[in-house]
Amino acid sequence: MARVPSAVVAATGLVGGYGVARWTGKRQLGGAVLAVAGATAAQQWRTRAGGRAAGALTAAYVAAFAGSHPLAKKVGAWPSVLGVTGAVAVASWAVADRKAA
């Protein structure tokens, strides 16, 4: 079975969580997508890069989610979500996926 890069999982959680919440009107459903993808990515980060890196990347994932809200007031919702998602994906690739490739 092909391995899905953790950067893709994390990006899916951030973009998918926002998209689901927006399109369904149910924030809890979007939160569930965000949480499941975040937990999956965290497990991959721990396996591929160790506990310390996983903790840092998990903190970045949560900070990206939280930081996208005030950023959205300045640049708009989708640009905010895509910006923070890009930052988390690049960090995830650099710390965990690059070594696994």
Side-chain angles (χ1 to χ4, degrees), residues 33-50:
V33 171
L34 179 80
V36 168
T40 301
Q43 178 61 37
Q44 289 179 316
W45 293 328
R46 188 171 59 80
T47 300
R48 295 177 187 173

Side-chain angles (χ1 to χ4, degrees), residues 1 4 11 18 25 29 38 46 59 89:
M1 186 155 127
V4 177
Y18 174 70
L29 192 54
R46 188 171 59 80

Side-chain angles (χ1 to χ4, degrees), residues 9-101:
V9 175
T12 300
L14 290 164
V15 171
Y18 174 70
V20 167
R22 181 171 177 136
W23 290 316
T24 65
K26 299 182 189 287
R27 293 178 69 178
Q28 299 87 349
L29 192 54
V33 171
L34 179 80
V36 168
T40 301
Q43 178 61 37
Q44 289 179 316
W45 293 328
R46 188 171 59 80
T47 300
R48 295 177 187 173
R52 199 175 247 178
L57 288 169
T58 299
Y61 184 82
V62 172
F65 167 70
S68 69
H69 291 82
L71 182 59
K73 292 178 182 179
K74 295 184 186 294
V75 299
W78 277 112
S80 172
V81 169
L82 295 175
V84 300
T85 297
V88 169
V90 167
S92 179
W93 175 82
V95 173
D97 296 333
R98 180 174 52 148
K99 295 176 185 176

